[in-house]
Amino acid sequence: MVVVGAGQAGLAAAHHLRRSGFEPDRGFVVLDHSPGPGGAWQFRWPSLTYGKVHGMHALPGMELTDADPARPSSEVIGEYFARYERAFDLRVRRPVDVRAVREGAGGRLRVESSAGVWAARALINATGTWDQPFWPRYPGQETFRGRQLHTAQYAGPQEFAGQRVIVVGGGASGTQHLLELAPYAAATTWVTRRPPVFREGPFDENAGRAAVALVEERVRQGLPPRSVVSVTGLPLNDAVREGLRDGVLDRRPMFDRITPDGVEWRDGQRLAADVILWATGFRAALGHLAPLRLREPGGGIRVEGTRAVADPRVHLVGYGPSASTVGANRAGRAAVRDIRRLLAGEPAVAA
């Protein structure tokens, strides 16, 4: 058995493998390309403190307690994941780049990596999205004389002092960037393809189930998954209310082209800018699975539960409806339950 990725989904899956009687290094291996524990959290900008994180759900079997809300989330969660790996003796191998998964001998999957090759009867893919930032393309983009960067490259607001910044994207990252940048930047402008939808009041369990069901339906149809936040809306907390009141979150429709000095709309309106910050989300990092030809004509991988319909040996956790911290925990448990039935206890072996 091979688990690819050691973020929330991968660690949850490894935990359930341990509880089911599989032994690290003998029954399964966990391969992670990151330099240290923490999954994608370790790469988040320092100003994203733990107190600003929306809905971090504890890993199975160990609560995250007494975390300082003023500390960077990268530090808090990185240390928590490291404690978790030690406590359950998960023996994550890193940094290991999984380059390709293809059909192997004897009905096994051949997992090719920078640390060698494994042959496994089943694979749990938990690679998340951080390695696949989505950059939209707009006419004139290559002519822009300012700086363009993605959320994945954002290191905090201080470097934008005195600059005119356009933030593109209607998700949580976009609003967080704008609220942080406002005290530093000379001017900020928020543009999105669709008007943002703000969610007021508590997000209860029924609402959560309904949102996940919408994402899950796309996955069942073999379409690329949408993020859960795209169907839940943005939480209307005190900081967001203040940003709306002060005009920081005064959204404009998407521009039509990029000019050397800024952006332009179809009606001729222009806006000068020094920086375009693309808070446009991420796509599932699944390039290593390409040799298995799992993608459907719609562009996504059709999944039932966590199983890839095109190859039931492959389980996707942290994908589509399980792309949340609580969803990742549940998906890890479900994947292990299915794999136990498939494998009947047969371990992964070195190729």
Side-chain angles (χ1 to χ4, degrees):
M1 174 93 57
V2 174
V3 179
V4 185
Q8 182 101 14
L11 293 183
H15 168 82
H16 289 297
L17 285 169
R18 284 287 261 151
R19 288 193 63 191
S20 296
F22 293 94
E23 290 293 327
D25 296 331
R26 297 179 58 194
F28 71 94
V29 294
V30 183
L31 309 177
D32 185 34
H33 87 116
S34 297
W41 292 101
Q42 66 194 279
F43 305 114
R44 301 299 173 103
W45 52 99
S47 52
L48 181 62
T49 57
Y50 184 66
K52 296 178 183 177
V53 170
H54 297 302
M56 170 64 196
H57 196 80
L59 286 159
M62 178 187 285
E63 293 295 322
L64 173 53
T65 58
D66 301 323
D68 182 353
R71 289 187 68 202
S73 59
S74 57
E75 295 179 4
V76 172
I77 298 174
E79 291 170 6
Y80 170 52
F81 280 19
R83 291 195 304 272
Y84 191 86
E85 291 177 17
R86 291 193 301 269
F88 293 102
D89 190 27
L90 299 180
R91 306 182 199 177
V92 178
R93 303 187 185 202
R94 60 167 64 91
V96 176
D97 293 320
V98 174
R99 295 164 177 161
V101 181
R102 61 182 84 248
E103 190 64 51
R108 294 175 181 269
L109 294 166
R110 178 181 170 89
V111 182
E112 301 172 358
S113 80
S114 59
V117 178
W118 278 265
R121 289 293 304 276
L123 178 135
I124 296 177
N125 192 83
T127 45
T129 62
W130 187 258
D131 294 328
Q132 289 292 320
F134 175 64
W135 291 75
R137 301 300 304 170
Y138 280 86
Q141 197 161 1
E142 70 283 354
T143 71
F144 185 60
R145 289 193 285 256
R147 180 187 178 195
Q148 297 186 62
L149 74 158
H150 190 275
T151 291
Q153 301 161 305
Y154 179 79
Q158 293 85 352
E159 63 181 302
F160 303 98
Q163 296 183 314
R164 299 162 297 179
V165 184
I166 296 174
V167 177
V168 183
S173 294
T175 57
Q176 288 170 357
H177 293 333
L178 285 156
L179 294 172
E180 285 192 353
L181 288 166
Y184 296 88
T188 60
T189 303
W190 186 23
V191 298
T192 69
R193 285 193 303 137
R194 292 181 292 271
V197 176
F198 293 97
R199 184 187 77 242
E200 193 154 16
F203 190 67
D204 60 22
E205 190 172 347
N206 289 334
R209 284 201 191 100
V212 168
L214 289 172
V215 179
E216 191 169 21
E217 183 56 32
R218 287 182 60 86
V219 170
R220 283 204 190 100
Q221 295 174 16
L223 298 172
R226 292 174 62 189
S227 66
V228 174
V229 75
S230 71
V231 294
T232 63
L234 295 163
L236 193 58
N237 56 32
D238 290 343
V240 169
R241 287 191 182 89
E242 185 176 344
L244 289 167
R245 185 182 65 245
D246 296 344
V248 173
L249 298 180
D250 183 13
R251 171 261 179 188
R252 296 187 64 174
M254 194 65 203
F255 49 75
D256 295 286
R257 66 186 304 270
I258 298 174
T259 68
D261 301 312
V263 298
E264 184 177 356
W265 284 262
R266 187 171 288 112
D267 63 5
Q269 290 186 70
R270 288 186 167 221
L271 182 68
D274 303 299
V275 177
I276 301 175
L277 173 53
W278 298 93
T280 44
F282 299 79
R283 300 293 184 264
L286 301 173
H288 55 292
L289 300 179
L292 297 177
R293 302 179 182 274
L294 302 177
R295 288 195 184 275
E296 301 289 332
I301 297 178
R302 194 152 61 97
V303 173
E304 289 287 350
T306 63
R307 274 192 320 278
V309 172
D311 192 330
R313 298 170 298 178
V314 178
H315 287 254
L316 302 180
V317 296
Y319 176 80
S322 63
S324 66
T325 53
V326 63
N329 288 357
R330 293 169 179 164
R333 182 174 60 246
V336 171
R337 187 170 57 242
D338 272 5
I339 287 169
R340 278 178 58 83
R341 289 195 287 263
L342 175 70
L343 291 185
E346 186 173 350
V349 297

